[in-house]
Amino acid sequence: MYWNSILSWPAGEVHGGEDLSLVERCQAGDETAFAALYHHYAAYIYRLTFSFLQHREDAEEVLQDTFEYAFRRIDRYDAQKASFKTWLYQIAVSRCRNKRRRKWLPTFPLSGLGEGEARDELTPLPEELLALNNRQKQIWQALNSLSPKLREAAVLRYYEGLTYPEIGQVLDIPPKTAESRTRLAHNALKEILIKQSSEGD
Amino acid sequence: MLAQQHPSGQLSDYVLDLLAPDERRRVDRHLERCAGCREAVQQERAIAHDVRSTLIKATRPQPARLAQLMPPVPAVRRRNRYGLFLRPALALSILLFLFVASLHLYSPGSNGMSNSATATTLAATATTTPTTTAEPHDDATDSANFVEVRALRSAQAIGTPVAAILMMAQN
Ligand SMILES: [Zn+2]
């Protein structure tokens, strides 16, 4: 099923092909095309927003916001300017930033996760996070301690596998800035992980 | 010859694909000969790999939940679909009405007698309308029916004065 094919974007999504014709059908007002478009992209956008915000309910809310906006503004999508994926990503990124701003997002309460004790009983972890092994919990925590800007770059590079010009387009920054943010994120993660493993010993 | 000059400061850029082609080739040549730097490169790569596998596992969506989260399709779009048909249909019905009304105005038999005859025909037509409105309710078909009924009524409205004159002539 489409939900499970997460590892890479469908081939040929950039210009033309199935996606573009779906978008065109939406632009022509075909209701079934909106549902098809949602089913095609929702899992990708959810994973992106969850990775950025590291909070499931917020990720769900931003997912809805993103599609609500995309549906309403589908007429404004221009295939000449960006791939549909990039357009959706741009919407999701700005909505994540708004969400963070509105919430003054406190970092997700994961302190003590590595030790697996002294957790706040009132904020149970979603089951997805309980399924992580120790190394993965460390990674999740390390990502959480990055600034949002660096986390965005790290997610888009490592997880989405985007090129630097693509990262720049999604984040609305020059490719060189995308490169330097990715480098900073990488070095910060390396440092945090080294520190964590030395503390664990 | 330069085996001891480890490009340690360049290894993260190497992994991130941020080196210029000539620098990259130099690091490649070094890595062929230096196990220590190969090991360091593996550790750099492990970060990217682990971030990826962590996020894949941590952000896995539930298909049923995602389906619940789909926002409604904007209402404007639904209207637009019929709008393409409705507008010409409305314009056509107005045109027909005006055309028929003008005919009726200048027809020779327009007097008190024919007016009452028109009223009876309209009443008769009204009894036929339920058959058309019994069809599935849809804006577009309603409007099409509206045009049909209007045209039918108008045709009868022109026809009745003629029939009335014929009846008077027979008497
Ligand atoms: Zn070396």
Side-chain angles (χ1 to χ4, degrees):
Chain A
M1 252 176 88
Y2 38 78
W3 307 113
N4 299 329
S5 58
I6 291 311
L7 297 186
S8 61
W9 284 86
E13 61 74 37
V14 177
H15 293 294
E18 198 188 331
D19 289 16
L20 195 53
S21 76
L22 257 187
V23 173
E24 282 166 352
R25 279 168 54 206
C26 289
Q27 288 174 332
D30 179 347
E31 273 178 69
T32 60
F34 281 96
L37 202 69
Y38 178 80
H39 290 310
H40 197 64
Y41 285 105
Y44 298 111
I45 299 300
Y46 172 78
R47 283 179 172 278
L48 186 81
T49 59
F50 199 170
S51 298
F52 281 173
L53 298 170
Q54 296 193 279
H55 186 285
R56 184 163 62 178
E57 284 74 26
D58 288 350
E60 290 184 349
E61 201 185 309
V62 173
L63 167 78
Q64 269 192 314
D65 279 0
T66 299
F67 277 94
E68 195 271 329
Y69 181 90
F71 282 0
R72 217 159 19 86
R73 302 297 181 94
I74 194 94
D75 290 335
R76 299 199 181 179
Y77 167 67
D78 182 356
Q80 303 300 316
K81 285 186 187 162
S83 72
F84 190 70
K85 171 188 93 172
T86 300
W87 188 68
L88 271 184
Y89 269 30
Q90 287 169 334
I91 297 170
V93 163
S94 75
R95 254 114 249 274
C96 282
R97 288 171 177 171
N98 290 344
K99 180 79 193 165
R100 222 181 277 124
R101 215 172 289 138
R102 277 199 307 275
K103 211 180 166 185
W104 203 261
L105 194 77
T107 51
F108 196 69
L110 276 177
S111 47
L113 183 68
E115 290 74 43
E117 56 195 12
R119 283 208 30 78
D120 185 351
E121 296 298 327
L122 294 174
T123 55
L125 283 172
E127 60 268 31
E128 300 98 316
L129 302 186
L130 291 174
L132 300 181
N133 64 34
N134 282 340
R135 166 75 172 171
Q136 289 167 332
K137 283 173 186 164
Q138 284 179 339
I139 295 271
W140 182 262
Q141 209 171 346
L143 277 170
N144 195 250
S145 62
L146 293 182
S147 73
K149 282 179 179 178
L150 297 193
R151 195 187 309 138
E152 286 170 356
V155 168
L156 292 174
R157 178 66 188 177
Y158 297 140
Y159 183 43
E160 303 292 340
L162 300 191
T163 65
Y164 297 108
E166 284 171 332
I167 294 172
Q169 201 178 11
V170 169
L171 298 181
D172 197 22
I173 53 175
K176 281 287 166 197
T177 309
E179 290 182 7
S180 61
R181 277 190 200 172
T182 307
R183 184 187 286 119
L184 285 171
H186 179 90
N187 291 333
L189 284 173
K190 188 165 62 180
E191 206 172 298
I192 294 165
L193 291 170
I194 288 170
K195 205 171 133 206
Q196 277 180 348
S197 60
S198 68
E199 278 169 3
D201 290 340
Chain B
M1 46 181 176
L2 293 171
Q4 294 315 305
Q5 288 185 355
H6 303 289
S8 309
Q10 286 185 303
L11 294 183
S12 56
D13 275 13
Y14 176 82
V15 165
L16 290 171
D17 212 7
L18 286 171
L19 292 182
D22 58 326
E23 288 174 313
R24 186 171 185 85
R25 274 192 296 275
R26 199 161 52 231
V27 174
D28 273 331
R29 278 197 300 274
H30 178 85
L31 290 176
E32 282 169 20
R33 290 169 284 148
C34 181
C37 284
R38 281 201 299 273
E39 171 66 21
V41 163
Q42 283 312 309
Q43 284 175 6
E44 299 274 354
R45 287 216 169 101
I47 295 172
H49 175 270
D50 291 348
V51 166
R52 189 174 164 76
S53 65
T54 299
L55 290 178
I56 286 171
K57 205 165 170 185
T59 66
R60 182 167 292 141
Q62 304 291 326
R65 180 69 186 139
L66 286 194
Q68 286 174 349
L69 293 171
M70 181 175 149
V73 172
V76 187
R77 319 233 131 253
R78 266 181 248 131
R79 275 203 299 276
N80 275 352
R81 196 156 67 130
Y82 296 118
L84 288 175
F85 175 75
L86 261 183
R87 257 170 273 133
L90 195 68
L92 186 70
S93 68
I94 290 168
L95 263 178
L96 252 173
F97 178 76
L98 287 176
F99 174 66
V100 161
S102 67
L103 278 184
H104 188 45
L105 210 77
Y106 295 111
S107 73
S110 52
N111 51 29
M113 176 71 187
S114 75
N115 280 348
S116 68
T118 312
T120 40
T121 1
L122 283 179
T125 341
T127 58
T128 64
T129 30
T131 54
T132 51
T133 50
E135 281 168 29
H137 255 280
D138 183 271
D139 284 352
T141 42
D142 276 357
S143 127
N145 288 339
F146 172 74
V147 176
E148 248 173 59
V149 170
R150 178 57 59 85
L152 185 68
R153 283 179 189 173
S154 306
Q156 283 169 333
I158 303 163
T160 37
V162 181
I165 291 165
L166 283 174
M167 275 171 71
M168 282 167 76
Q170 275 177 347
N171 291 344

